[in-house]
Amino acid sequence: MIGPREVPRLWDRHLLNCAVVAELVTGRSGTLVDIGSGAGLPGLVLAMVLPETAVTLLEPMERRCRFLAGCVTELGLENVTVLRARAEEAALRADVATARAVAPLPRLAELAVGVVRPGGMVLAIKGRTAAQELKDARPVLRRIGARSAEVVRAGQGKVVPATTVVRFFAR
């Protein structure tokens, strides 16, 4: 599910990078939806480090859903559901929505507010371009009623570099 060049960086760049996002979720959620789960990042990782959180891995592609279901079984994760659907079709209202490498922030914001409850938190894992993406997304965020949109860093002092996340709250 990831490219062959990513294998040597799997632990640091992918798994730990996702795991530290749990510090932004802790105490805020009973339910989390990972939009466009793909290889399960960050959804599977968060499900492992947040076992009390009910995690839905939302993925439209059947092949990826089969892969994710196999991972859930292999890892014995009882707090995870794999749902084959597009975000705009899913009837979900989670406390938190996460996404990594899904879409540019203006598009992702529109998808995310459709799957979180009112007041729910959206965490979009981004990289170096996070501040610019947030600036570009401001008109969309205003239109959809998003609040408190900001770039935050997760895992400072734990991972280098810290994970860059755009966080906002649904209306």
Side-chain angles (χ1 to χ4, degrees):
M1 292 289 146
I2 61 169
R5 291 185 182 167
E6 295 302 311
V7 173
R9 305 185 316 167
L10 181 63
W11 185 254
D12 293 338
R13 183 165 192 272
H14 298 289
L15 300 177
L16 291 177
N17 181 265
C18 291
V20 296
V21 173
E23 71 188 40
L24 301 174
V25 176
T26 301
R28 296 184 179 266
S29 80
T31 57
L32 182 147
V33 60
D34 184 34
I35 302 167
S37 273
L41 302 171
L44 282 173
V45 176
L46 292 172
M48 287 186 273
V49 298
L50 299 168
E52 301 302 316
T53 300
V55 176
T56 299
L57 304 177
L58 184 61
E59 172 56 52
M61 295 180 63
E62 183 176 348
R63 179 178 74 103
R64 291 179 181 166
C65 285
R66 283 195 311 265
F67 169 80
L68 292 168
C71 290
V72 168
T73 300
E74 184 72 23
L75 294 167
L77 296 172
E78 296 180 6
N79 61 326
V80 179
T81 301
V82 177
L83 176 59
R84 182 174 179 219
R86 301 179 63 78
E88 52 268 39
E89 301 163 352
L92 297 170
R93 288 294 175 258
D95 298 311
V96 176
T98 59
R100 182 174 188 255
V102 172
L105 190 57
R107 175 72 179 127
L108 177 59
E110 291 181 308
L111 296 172
V113 297
V115 297
V116 294
R117 64 171 174 74
M121 182 172 58
V122 177
L123 300 171
I125 299 175
K126 296 291 184 177
R128 296 181 308 264
T129 63
Q132 185 61 48
E133 282 197 61
L134 179 55
K135 182 179 176 186
D136 295 344
R138 289 277 182 206
V140 171
L141 293 168
R142 271 192 299 277
R143 181 173 50 76
I144 64 176
R147 305 180 286 106
S148 305
E150 63 182 334
V151 176
V152 296
R153 305 264 190 279
Q156 290 189 356
K158 298 175 187 168
V159 295
V160 177
T163 303
T164 304
V165 178
V166 174
R167 174 177 61 191
F168 66 88
F169 296 86
R171 173 182 0 191

